[in-house]
Amino acid sequence: MFFTLPAGPDFVVETEVKHSRFIAALRRVDGPVAAQTFLDEQRRRYPDARHHCWAYITGDEPSERAERSGDDGEPGGTAGIPMLQVLRARDLVGVAVVVTRYFGGIKLGAGGLVRAYSGAVAAVVDEAGMVRRERLELLTLEVGHDSAGRVEADLRGRGVPVVGTSYDAVVTLTLATRDPVELGALVAEVTAGAGELVAAGVRWVDV
């Protein structure tokens, strides 16, 4: 289990330290290529800024995990690594952050830079709010068209993640759960015993 950004637009928070502006932008990304694209976009958005420091952590599975950071001209270890450490401390995965700095004329020193960059990341993470992401079991449930809307709404209302809905001769709902036995009992209640769950693998799901 870890945390990630809710789906949606980027989160941006600006802070100021001794007249230097730090613009922290946070985006949900699915891999290193998407993180690099985000960095390139921020560089184009603020072409006159002195630094665009960055960090990202991606990969749902531990075997796929990638963690990288960069100081973009700031003294080594004063920007990218502190930014990455904030992401690690918050158990965040699938996110990239870029902090753009406009120099304000006053040098901050190594310690001041570390505090400024880590503080900028903490501020944007706090603003964004996070969702928990878990590796859950998937099960499918076939229901008739006449009852599909009611059943889906009832399951969602009871906190069951419905991660897919397909329409054919019947409606197939794909459900995610930590406890298939508990879900089976709930489905039996909602469908008056008519619903049958079929195992459909596992998936990382926002819950």
Side-chain angles (χ1 to χ4, degrees):
M1 181 189 75
F2 52 85
F3 296 88
T4 193
L5 276 176
D10 301 340
F11 291 88
V12 181
V13 171
E14 181 174 333
T15 54
E16 183 176 318
V17 180
K18 294 184 178 179
H19 305 297
S20 281
R21 294 170 58 205
F22 294 85
I23 304 169
L26 187 66
R27 176 180 292 182
R28 181 167 175 162
V29 295
D30 59 8
V33 173
Q36 181 62 50
T37 297
F38 180 40
L39 173 59
D40 293 342
E41 289 177 7
Q42 293 302 105
R43 284 174 169 158
R44 290 193 296 270
R45 182 168 288 119
Y46 306 104
D48 55 338
R50 179 171 291 192
H51 305 284
H52 301 278
C53 304
W54 54 273
Y56 68 79
I57 302 177
T58 66
D60 284 338
E61 297 291 347
S63 61
E64 302 169 349
R65 196 65 43 85
E67 299 184 2
R68 300 287 187 277
S69 65
D71 296 312
D72 193 34
E74 294 284 25
T78 62
I81 290 176
M83 292 166 60
L84 184 62
Q85 288 174 337
V86 174
L87 301 183
R88 288 173 177 161
R90 303 294 185 93
D91 294 322
L92 295 175
V93 176
V95 298
V97 63
V98 179
V99 177
T100 297
R101 181 189 182 192
Y102 283 90
F103 181 57
I106 300 174
K107 292 184 178 181
L108 303 183
L113 288 171
V114 169
R115 289 189 294 273
Y117 279 101
S118 60
V121 175
V124 74
V125 169
D126 288 342
E127 176 72 18
M130 296 296 150
V131 294
R132 193 169 69 251
R133 193 159 170 82
E134 295 186 35
R135 194 169 189 266
L136 301 180
E137 294 190 48
L138 299 182
L139 300 103
T140 58
L141 171 66
E142 292 186 348
V143 293
H145 287 268
D146 58 340
S147 60
R150 177 190 61 79
V151 170
E152 180 174 352
D154 204 344
L155 290 171
R156 289 185 185 275
R158 299 177 187 225
V160 177
V162 180
V163 298
T165 306
S166 63
Y167 298 87
D168 205 333
V170 296
V171 179
T172 302
L173 305 177
T174 301
L175 313 176
T177 184
R178 303 179 190 89
D179 187 342
V181 174
E182 181 180 349
L183 178 60
L186 181 56
V187 166
E189 179 184 343
V190 170
T191 64
E196 181 178 347
L197 292 171
V198 177
V202 295
R203 183 190 300 180
W204 286 91
V205 177
D206 295 350
V207 296

